[in-house]
Amino acid sequence: MPNPSNTESLEARIAAAFQGVRQPRPKQIRPIVVIGAGGIVRAAHLPAYEKAGFPVIGLMDQDGNKAAALASERHIPRSFGSLVEAVRFAPRDAIFDVAVPASQLVHILPQLPDSATVLIQKPMGETLQEARVIRDLCRSKSFIAAVNFSLRYSPNNLAVIALASSGLLGEIHDIEVQTRTYTPWHLWTFLATAPRLEILYHSIHYFDLIRSWLGNPQGVYARTVKNPHTANLAATKTIAILDYGNSKRVFVATNHNHNFGPEHQHSFVQWEGLNGSARITMGVNLDYPIGKPDTAEYAERGSDSPHWRSVPVGGNNFPDAFMGTMGALQCFAEGSVSTLPSHFEDAFQTMALIEALYYSSEVPSEPLSFD
Ligand SMILES: NC(=O)c1ccc[n+]([C@@H]2O[C@H](COP(=O)([O-])OP(=O)(O)OC[C@H]3O[C@@H](n4cnc5c(N)ncnc54)[C@H](O)[C@@H]3O)[C@@H](O)[C@H]2O)c1
């Protein structure tokens, strides 16, 4: 039931909840050197940094021509086809923003200077074993490093955090994530041979987001399967249950091959709490990478005629969330905040969850008995 002592209207309480919702922003903005000039850098990193006023001073890609073309298009002063040159050019206070296929991280990170500040695109390697190597590299080189779990900083997730912080959700006992869409996997040539695909490269955002809300689950049940239309790719459809005990239901269900028009495509996260429920739509998944607008809605529990109302969302995952991951790292590096939510040590735990999901998918299901 709504708190009867609370005489404020729900609108006023929602408005109050949103005061102060903003992406983290450092006091001293530092220059950025981007490693990788691929699709995500073009669609999200560079537009985010331009919007935030974070200067990108250099862009490197193993394909030097690609780096040069994108640098010229986006007015980035320097481009490189060699990592050694990019590192030599980078000033001491540069942030290295590494956005390459996960398999490349173990080759790139050892070449960055000791004590560097590094933002690493997800996933943190392709297996838990690689994640361990990356974690140990980050430790031994004394990096200040985060993994780019951008969904945590998506403005609609920040909106739901604000609702929760104001008590409008109450204790969360149910989270469901559903994505039924058409994802153009061919855009990522490196995925053609990736042994792990959907959970590792896409749903990892959902699993990391759930961890950010509920912590680590006790265990998982999962099945990730291939789509017959893309039989050459690893599994692209997933159903997973996260075990948080007997009074919480948490699941992720994804199908990236629903190529039947937009009518029944959807992509959302829904939270149910003792006081209310929230739902966000993840527009970027509905027309990747252009995307549709992100939304957030809220419904209060216990009112006479409960209904969903839109709540304000200050932007979209692409590019705004990328202002958040970079801003949070810079704030932590300068010491203006004491925590870094997507710190590599925390990201390693998300990788442990991903590993458990793949293991679970290999476990035989319970056979039927007709005795
Ligand atoms: N956080 C998010 O929402 C999000 C979204 C999409 C992609 N990503 C991640 O970003 C990474 C890159 O994805 P993308 O969409 O840009 O892929 P992409 O294939 O479009 O681009 C990858 C780029 O990396 C370059 N590259 C590969 N190996 C390199 C190396 N050793 N040194 C320098 N450059 C190298 C390639 O030449 C290419 O230009 C992936 O790991 C992916 O998981 C994250």
Coordinates of all heavy atoms in Angstrom, one line a residue, residues 33-34 56-60 67-68 71-72 75-80 85 89:
V33 N 42.8 8.8 -25.5 CA 43.4 8.1 -26.7 C 42.5 6.8 -26.9 O 42.5 6.0 -26.1 CB 44.9 7.8 -26.6 CG1 45.4 7.0 -27.8 CG2 45.7 9.1 -26.4
V34 N 41.9 6.7 -28.1 CA 41.0 5.6 -28.3 C 41.7 4.6 -29.2 O 42.4 4.9 -30.2 CB 39.7 6.1 -29.1 CG1 38.8 4.9 -29.4 CG2 38.9 7.1 -28.3
V56 N 39.1 13.9 -27.4 CA 39.7 12.7 -27.9 C 40.9 13.3 -28.8 O 40.7 14.0 -29.7 CB 38.8 11.9 -28.8 CG1 39.6 10.7 -29.4 CG2 37.6 11.4 -28.0
I57 N 42.1 12.9 -28.3 CA 43.3 13.5 -29.0 C 44.0 12.6 -30.0 O 44.8 13.0 -30.7 CB 44.3 14.1 -28.0 CG1 44.8 12.9 -27.0 CG2 43.7 15.2 -27.1 CD1 46.0 13.3 -26.2
G58 N 43.6 11.3 -29.9 CA 44.2 10.3 -30.8 C 43.4 9.1 -31.0 O 42.6 8.8 -30.1
L59 N 43.5 8.5 -32.2 CA 42.6 7.3 -32.5 C 43.6 6.3 -33.2 O 44.2 6.7 -34.2 CB 41.5 7.8 -33.4 CG 40.6 6.7 -34.0 CD1 39.9 5.9 -32.8 CD2 39.5 7.3 -34.9
M60 N 43.6 5.1 -32.6 CA 44.5 4.1 -33.2 C 43.6 2.9 -33.6 O 42.7 2.5 -32.9 CB 45.5 3.7 -32.2 CG 46.5 2.6 -32.6 SD 45.9 0.9 -32.2 CE 46.8 0.0 -33.3
A67 N 41.5 4.2 -39.1 CA 41.7 5.1 -38.0 C 41.8 6.6 -38.6 O 41.2 7.5 -38.1 CB 42.9 4.8 -37.2
A68 N 42.6 6.7 -39.7 CA 42.8 8.0 -40.3 C 41.5 8.6 -40.8 O 41.2 9.8 -40.6 CB 43.8 7.9 -41.4
A71 N 39.2 9.6 -37.9 CA 39.8 10.7 -37.2 C 39.5 12.0 -38.0 O 39.1 13.0 -37.4 CB 41.3 10.5 -37.0
S72 N 39.7 11.9 -39.3 CA 39.5 13.1 -40.1 C 38.0 13.5 -40.1 O 37.7 14.7 -39.9 CB 40.0 12.8 -41.5 OG 39.3 13.4 -42.5
H75 N 37.3 15.1 -36.6 CA 38.2 16.2 -36.2 C 39.1 15.8 -35.0 O 39.3 16.6 -34.1 CB 37.4 17.5 -35.9 CG 36.5 17.8 -37.0 ND1 36.9 18.2 -38.2 CD2 35.1 17.8 -37.0 CE1 35.8 18.4 -39.0 NE2 34.7 18.2 -38.3
I76 N 39.6 14.5 -35.1 CA 40.5 14.1 -34.0 C 41.9 14.4 -34.6 O 42.2 14.0 -35.7 CB 40.3 12.6 -33.8 CG1 38.9 12.3 -33.2 CG2 41.4 12.0 -32.8 CD1 38.4 10.9 -33.2
P77 N 42.7 15.1 -33.8 CA 44.0 15.6 -34.3 C 45.0 14.5 -34.8 O 45.6 14.8 -35.8 CB 44.6 16.4 -33.2 CG 43.6 16.4 -32.1 CD 42.5 15.5 -32.4
R78 N 45.0 13.4 -34.2 CA 46.1 12.4 -34.6 C 45.5 11.0 -34.7 O 44.5 10.7 -34.0 CB 47.2 12.3 -33.5 CG 48.0 13.6 -33.3 CD 48.9 13.9 -34.5 NE 49.8 12.8 -34.7 CZ 51.0 12.7 -34.2 NH1 51.4 13.6 -33.3 NH2 51.8 11.7 -34.4
S79 N 46.0 10.3 -35.7 CA 45.6 8.9 -35.8 C 46.8 8.0 -36.0 O 47.9 8.5 -36.4 CB 44.6 8.7 -37.0 OG 45.3 8.8 -38.2
F80 N 46.7 6.7 -35.7 CA 47.8 5.8 -35.7 C 47.4 4.4 -36.2 O 46.3 4.0 -35.9 CB 48.4 5.6 -34.3 CG 48.7 6.9 -33.6 CD1 47.7 7.5 -32.8 CD2 49.9 7.5 -33.8 CE1 48.0 8.8 -32.2 CE2 50.2 8.7 -33.2 CZ 49.3 9.3 -32.4
E85 N 53.2 3.6 -31.4 CA 53.2 5.0 -31.7 C 52.1 5.7 -30.9 O 52.4 6.8 -30.4 CB 52.9 5.3 -33.2 CG 54.0 5.1 -34.2 CD 53.5 5.4 -35.6 OE1 52.8 6.3 -35.8 OE2 53.8 4.5 -36.4
F89 N 52.8 8.7 -28.2 CA 52.2 10.0 -28.3 C 51.4 10.4 -27.1 O 51.3 11.6 -26.7 CB 51.3 10.0 -29.5 CG 50.2 11.0 -29.6 CD1 50.5 12.3 -29.9 CD2 48.9 10.7 -29.2 CE1 49.5 13.3 -29.9 CE2 47.9 11.7 -29.2 CZ 48.2 13.0 -29.5

